[in-house]
Amino acid sequence: MADPLEALFTVLREYPGLVTAYSGGADSALLAWAAHEVHGPRALAITAVSASLPARERAGARDFARRYGLRHLEVCTDELDRPEYRANGADRCAHCKSALMAALVPIAEAAGVPVALGTNLDDLGDHRPGQAAARRAGAVAPLVAAGLGKAAVRAVSRQAGLVSADKPAAACLASRVAYGDPVDAAVLARVERAEGTLHELGFGVVRVRAHANGTVARVEVPADDLPAALATRAAIVAAGRDAGFAFVALDLDGFRSGSLNRLLPLRVAR
């Protein structure tokens, strides 16, 4: 089908309604909006709230839902109560998605509709154990079914006039913690505080990766922003230390989504 937006609408019409796992990022925002356009009151966008969700992302999800009139609900998830999640192994995301589905499936079943994730085609090639866990629990992926990758998601969002079209990629705070280091509310708060200060310094895309049990902050900004980061080195170091990190390092490779996956072969080798 030539029109990717119509292709997405066609996929969504195959469902009687939809519960969208909605973080407010570009993918889930497009999916939640499209489901609302197709199904109206039979579409519900649900945001999972825990210490892993940055406050700025929660606020952004609320604002988007209000702007476009989405039916929006927030539910608390219990991933931090799960020892397997806190252990932060290579399968951490699977335990997170299991907690998410445990919260969303009863709501969806009561409404007689499936749970949908904002997974796009480009997500399928990375280390994503959470996707497999969600599929096992019955989640569907309409963006994949419609043939949309990340670039198409942004293009379709612009076509629809959505403010999320150019929203920088985001991920849960736990994705900042090096595999094998425990995940707890304290280290997540440390990461969120440091990233918040760096956003205030003018870095729109930034990741603070926590290493060495939360004592080392490895800061990633896009390669084009490295000169600005070096020019504000003292402020970046202060942001990390004020957040509770003992050491602050700037990654000269620049921002890469999923950069901590490089640690996986090292952990297997052990």
Side-chain angles (χ1 to χ4, degrees):
M1 189 172 294
D3 184 347
L5 179 56
E6 185 54 39
L8 178 58
F9 285 161
T10 298
V11 169
L12 293 175
R13 292 186 190 107
E14 298 174 1
Y15 308 118
L18 213 64
V19 164
T20 299
Y22 166 65
S23 67
D27 300 322
S28 66
L30 172 61
L31 180 57
W33 171 83
H36 171 73
E37 290 294 299
V38 171
H39 293 294
R42 297 281 294 169
L44 176 63
I46 301 183
T47 302
V49 177
S50 75
S52 297
L53 178 68
R56 61 185 280 131
E57 295 298 322
R58 182 179 183 182
R62 288 175 172 174
D63 289 345
F64 183 92
R66 282 195 293 264
R67 177 187 288 260
Y68 296 104
L70 310 184
R71 291 181 63 227
H72 182 217
L73 180 68
E74 295 180 342
V75 299
C76 293
T77 51
D78 66 355
E79 62 266 27
L80 277 172
D81 295 333
R82 302 184 177 213
E84 302 88 353
Y85 178 86
R86 295 196 306 272
N88 196 24
D91 62 347
R92 182 199 67 241
C93 287
H95 301 295
C96 178
K97 282 296 190 291
S98 294
L100 174 69
M101 295 299 289
L104 268 56
V105 165
I107 298 171
E109 288 182 342
V113 303
V115 174
L117 302 185
T119 305
N120 69 65
L121 282 177
D122 294 331
D123 294 329
L124 302 183
D126 200 359
H127 175 70
R128 306 271 180 154
Q131 293 178 7
R135 286 195 301 270
R136 288 194 295 270
V140 297
L143 299 180
V144 172
L148 302 185
K150 193 66 174 186
V153 165
R154 295 195 183 280
V156 169
S157 298
R158 290 188 200 98
Q159 177 185 347
L162 303 183
V163 296
S164 56
D166 296 311
K167 187 177 186 296
C172 78
L173 292 170
S175 69
R176 293 11 173 214
V177 182
Y179 290 114
D181 288 356
V183 172
D184 58 32
V187 72
L188 298 180
R190 201 174 304 154
V191 169
E192 181 173 15
R193 180 175 175 181
E195 288 191 357
T197 303
L198 293 176
H199 285 303
E200 291 172 2
L201 289 173
F203 296 100
V205 176
V206 65
R207 294 290 186 273
V208 174
R209 312 287 191 187
H211 293 263
N213 292 313
T215 61
V216 176
R218 176 171 58 85
V219 178
E220 295 179 5
V221 298
D224 289 346
D225 288 342
L226 285 174
L230 290 170
T232 55
R233 178 182 63 84
I236 291 175
V237 171
R241 288 186 177 160
D242 288 347
F245 292 99
F247 303 98
V248 181
L250 179 64
D251 191 324
L252 298 183
D253 264 349
F255 165 71
R256 294 93 65 212
S257 180
S259 68
L260 285 173
N261 289 343
R262 292 186 180 184
L263 296 176
L264 292 175
L266 300 178
R267 292 194 56 77
V268 171
R270 289 181 182 177

